[in-house]
Amino acid sequence: LPEHRAYLSCLAEDFARDVHGSIVAAARRAAVRPDTVVDEAREHIATALRLATAFCQTASTRAASESIEQYLNNPDAAPSAACVVHGRSGAGKTSLMARAAAELMASSGKR
C-alpha cells in the first residue's frame, strides 16, 4: 500500500502540474495584448465625444461648421485637399471638430 499511495500521489501531482500548465498556456494565447496606440485612440475618441456634447454653436462657429459639413459631405470635390481649422488657443477648434465628427458618426449610424 505505501507504494500505491506514492504512485497515486505522484500521478495527482503530475496531473495537476500538467493541467495548470495547459490552462496557463491557453490563457496566454487568448490574452489580448495591450496596444498603446489603440488605447490612445480610444481615449481621444472618448474625449472628442465628451467635447461634442458640450459644444454650443455660436455665430462665430456657424460659418466654420458649415464649411466643415460641406467638406465632409462632398469628399469627391477635392479628394487630396485637407480640412484645416485654425484659430487662437482656446477658441474651440477641438470642440468644433469633435462636434463635426460626432454629427458625421450619427448621420452614418455609427456611435
Side-chain angles (χ1 to χ4, degrees):
L1 260 131
E3 291 174 12
H4 190 64
R5 181 176 293 152
Y7 167 77
L8 289 176
S9 178
C10 184
L11 177 67
E13 287 175 16
D14 288 347
F15 178 77
R17 183 188 63 245
D18 291 348
V19 168
H20 178 265
S22 179
I23 291 170
V24 168
R28 286 186 180 142
R29 284 190 305 272
V32 176
R33 290 179 174 67
D35 186 327
T36 55
V37 174
V38 171
D39 291 343
E40 185 173 348
R42 187 180 302 120
E43 283 299 314
H44 280 288
I45 290 168
T47 299
L49 291 175
R50 279 193 301 276
L51 287 170
T53 60
F55 180 76
C56 293
Q57 186 80 276
T58 64
S60 62
T61 61
R62 191 162 286 110
S65 293
E66 289 170 0
S67 294
I68 292 167
E69 184 178 343
Q70 287 175 347
Y71 176 85
L72 293 174
N73 289 328
N74 196 4
D76 297 329
S80 62
C83 179
V84 177
V85 177
H86 61 89
R88 63 178 171 71
S89 178
K93 299 177 298 291
T94 302
S95 295
L96 177 69
M97 293 304 294
R99 180 58 176 225
E103 287 177 2
L104 182 65
M105 287 170 47
S107 70
S108 66
K110 298 176 183 175
R111 196 66 162 138

